[in-house]
Structure formats: structure tokens, C-alpha cells
Amino acid sequence: MMALHPVVAKVTDRVVARSQGSRAAYLALIDRARDTGVNRDALSCGNLAHGFAAAGEDKAALRGDRALNIGIVTAYNDMLSAHQPYGRYPEQIKLFAREVGATAQVAGGVPAMCDGVTQGQSSMELSLFSRDTIAMGTAVALSHGMFEAAVLLGICDKIVPGLLIGALRFGHLPTILIPAGPMPTGLPNKEKVRIRQLYAEGKAGRDELLESESASYHAPGTCTFYGTANSNQMMMDMMGLHMPGASFVPPGMKLRQKLTRAAVHRVAAIGWDGADYRPLGVCIDEKAIINAIVGLLATGGSTNHVIHLPAIARAAGVQIDWDDMDELSRVVPLIASIYPNGSGDVNGFAAAGGMPYVLRELIGAGLAHGDIRTVYGTSLAEGAQQPVIENEALVWHPASAASGDETMLRPVAAPFQPEGGFRLLTGNLGRGTIKVSAVVRARWTIEAPCRVFCDQNAVLTAFKAGELDLDVVVVVRFQGPGANGMPELHKLTPSLGVLQDRGFKVALVTDGRMSGASGKVPAAIHISPEAKTGGPLARLRDGDVVRVCAETGSLEALVDPADWSARALAQAPSEEMGVGRELFALMRHYTDPAERGGSAMLAAAGL
């Protein structure tokens, strides 16, 4: 293993220094929670009786106060394909716990919103804040004090960040995340995109589009493109919070169940009554967060995590920002090419070597911290192993020294790109981010007159009317967390892709989000400060020339400075009601900026 890369070391040291006070306060908090918090030792007889009244055959063990008890927090529902397999996990986990003299109880369930179902709908305005709802639900579940360890059942977009944020406030509990795996490969991604663009142009009907989408999303398991859900799984591997090689084993396989069993046995072994106590809040430290950033950059992961990672980090007393991510991106090479950054899906990625290979490469090149405290071993390097079944037993073998498919996975020495897929943009339009791993280099700089919209449906109306058949920077403002909850604007991707394919220079600028599935159109997103809070996007007018440049990291309105500063700010549209949006008004009104994580909950808590 090479020495740690100097830029990785520099950024890590900066984060450690910046976080010194908040991290020390956090560690003191979880020390107190372990020693004097709400734990089984502190519960009254009445409390305990309530806690094990329905525990069935585990009742005697819980009453005797001898068995370690594992709290299960589940995001199961059977509408969300990724989480449908979790339906029977709790009963399996209880059986696996008994095998090692432990017990397990479902501590609580949390909502699991499917962005695939709500994409482009008004209900998407609940999406970002569902993360904080999940975090609060996780805290409620674990607050009963009945547990000495926890397992978290969740995979998708806001769900893993929410589970982690909530669990970190109970960071004295050893905790493992248990995935359920991806669905089988369906319709090739290139064909799916082709049909979407034909539909956007009116050249394919709804029946043809529905048939295409149904062939893409067709079975239990995670969607197979490399969006936010699968980026979540990658980050858990980079932070050592999964069993090695567990992320991308499909549901229903014997290996999947063996890995779940191993996770339950392991969390019992690292519980607080044993000799190998590994609290979650100690495992997730500054180095683990840096590893998650590095993994995101090296694999071209979801844009959503430039919001989620700062929020997760804050819950552990760690302070990061987009400058840290930008600096790391300049030295972390892109070694994975998974749709939308490539043609293959996560099943192909896993077959080529998957996360064990990625871990081996990044640690070996000194780009990741190998010395973090994982849930499974003495170092992160032990995560660079492939699980297999031999003679009915689960065993691990070292990751392959060579990629099984260099169109999807390459060594650090011969990457797809020498830099990661993230750039920070700054200028008189604010601070924002751009994902360039799927954007051809010739489109990293776009300079064109802008068209300003306050609603994504208005963009689609203009597209259908032919008003955008020109070089254009499409600006969609009042889409930040304070305005409408920061919905994803992935609905725009097919239409903007059509314009680009027609030969026009096209870019998107927004204070909203784009999906982890967004790809080839350059998009300056998460612009802060947002227009609702007086950000400069509110000064833009139709026809202003806007320059988006990932090469220089600039985001500029090319307007005379005197004219620019004299302009009145556009007024935000009135807040809409319906589909529960009014219930989240408190979160919109008190949220902090996207770079801090877009969270009213963390802001109000002073974290």
C-alpha cells in the first residue's frame, strides 16, 4: 500500500481541524449515552415489561437481562422495489441472533419514499425533507433504550442518509447496515434513453414508453443504474459499514441470506458487552467521511450526495464543504463507468469486480484511508474481499488483481478520467456543483443567452413549442430547499438531451437538484444562496448571457456590474398546498443551505 496521497492527507487534516470542537462534543455525547443514557440497565421494571411483553420465545432472554438485544430499524414497504425484499428480514434476523445467544426486535419503521414514483410530480417536493423525517423516525425507534446494538434496513435515496443521521445520535450503539441487492438487469440503458427521447419529441406513444420503463424496472431489488441508491451502497462500503462484498448481491440468492446472517452475527460480536465494542459514532469519523467522498468521485456517484454527505457528517460532529470535495476531485481518478456515466449497470460492475476491486485500488494507491475502524475487521483493506459459498459455508476471497471488464472498471493507473466527476462552480450567480463524469469535455463550457423559468413544467411547455431550439442556458429558479423542498428536476433530462442532440449548446442552471441518474447535459445545480433567500439567480432576466464553465469552475452572468447590482430581485411564486407539502412548511422556512445539507432539523439542533 502506498503512502496516503498528499492532497487526501491535506484535506483530511483540514477537516479534522475544522471539526475539532464539534467532534469532541459529539464523542462526549455518545460516551455519556453509553454510560448514563437511556439503556436497559436504567429502565424500570414497568419499562422492561412493556419492552418484552410481546417478545415471544425471546421473552425469557430479555427478562433475564443477559442476551444482547439488537434493534432493527426497517424501511420496508412493498411499493418500493429495492425495499420489498426486506419484508421477511426481521424474522430471519431474529433467528440468526438466537444462533449466537442474542435477541432482536423491530425497534421501528421509517418511511421509504421512492423518487422513481414521484419523479416530476408535485409530491417530489417532500423528497429531500423525507431524509430528516427518516432520521427523526430512527431516533424515535432507538430512544426506547432496549438495545445494545442495531441493524439498519435501507438502501435508497434519502433513506440511508436518514437512517445514518438518526442512528448517529445513538452513536454509542454498534450498528451495521444490511442491503438487499439490485434487481436483475433489464432493458439496456441505451435503449431506455432512446425511447425516452423519442417520447419527448412526440415520436413514441405512452404505451411504448410504459413498455420500455416496465422492462427497465421489472423486479424486486434496487434499480440497476448508478444513481443515489447504489451510490449509497458504495459509500457504506467505503466507510466499512457493510459486510465485505455485500452491496450488489441480488435478492433471493443464497449468498444474500448468508451475508445477512453474517451481519447479524457480527453486530452481536461487536456489541457493547463484548471485548470488541465498535460504536457507530467512532466508526464514522473524519477519515470515514473522506473515504465516502473519494468513493463518490472515483465511481462517478450521485450528485445528491454533495448534499447528503455534509448532513451525515454533521450528525457525527464532522464539518465538510464543497471545497473539500472539489479539491479531492482533482486527484481522485474516475475508475468506474456505470450508467449513466457508461453503458453497463451495477450488475455488470459487480461482475467486473465491484466494490472489493474499487477498495483494493483506492487503498493501494493511497487515495483512501485504510486504517478506519470498520464493523468487520482491523482495516478497510479487509473489505476488499469477494464473498462466496463453499461447501455451504460463507467465505471471502481477496479481490481480483485485474478488472473483469475494463469497459466498466479500471485500475487507478489507467482510469477513464484522471479526475473525479465533481466540480465546484463559483461566480456572481453563487456557489454550485456540476457532475461532469458523463459530460463530454467539449461541453464543459457553455456560454449562451438564458431562458428563466420558475417551474420545470414551464420548461417542457417551451420545449414543445420550439422556443428552446437554440443555444440556451435553461435557468430554473425557486427550486431550493427553502422555496419548495428542492425537488429533483430529472424530468427535464430527456428534453434537454434532445436539444443537445440537435446540435445546440445547452446547459441547465438551477438551485434545485438533479437525479443521480442525470448524465450528458451539463447542469450547474444546488446553486446557493437560493433564489428564495435573495440569491443572485433572482436577478437573472431572459436573454442575459450566462457562462457555465467546469474547466475554470466559474458560474457567471455576463452582465454589467452596475446594472446587475441595481436589479430588483424576482419574487418567489406562492407556496403550493396539496400532497402534504403544507406539512413540511416548517422545514422549508428554517432549512439551511444545500452546502450544509439542506436541513432545518440539523440547523435548529446547532449541529
Side-chain angles (χ1 to χ4, degrees), residues 18 137 191 212 216 255 314 418 445 451:
R18 185 191 301 139
E191 177 65 8
S212 169
S216 300
L255 181 58
R314 286 166 70 187
T445 301
R451 277 291 306 273

Side-chain angles (χ1 to χ4, degrees), residues 52-62 98:
F52 59 62
E57 63 185 278
D58 290 326
K59 193 169 185 176
L62 286 165
R98 290 173 195 141

Side-chain angles (χ1 to χ4, degrees), residues 244-245 255 258-259 262 382 385-398:
L255 181 58
K258 294 275 190 183
L259 286 162
E382 292 182 40
Q385 299 185 83
Q386 288 283 5
V388 295
I389 297 175
E390 293 180 356
N391 299 320
E392 294 301 308
L394 175 63
V395 297
W396 280 271
H397 294 308

Side-chain angles (χ1 to χ4, degrees), residues 35 70 132 136 141 153 168 266 314-315 393 433 463 468-469 537:
D35 295 333
I70 301 166
D132 291 5
M136 290 186 281
L153 308 184
L168 278 165
R266 184 59 185 161
R314 286 166 70 187
T433 70
F463 167 78
L468 301 181
D469 285 333
L537 284 187

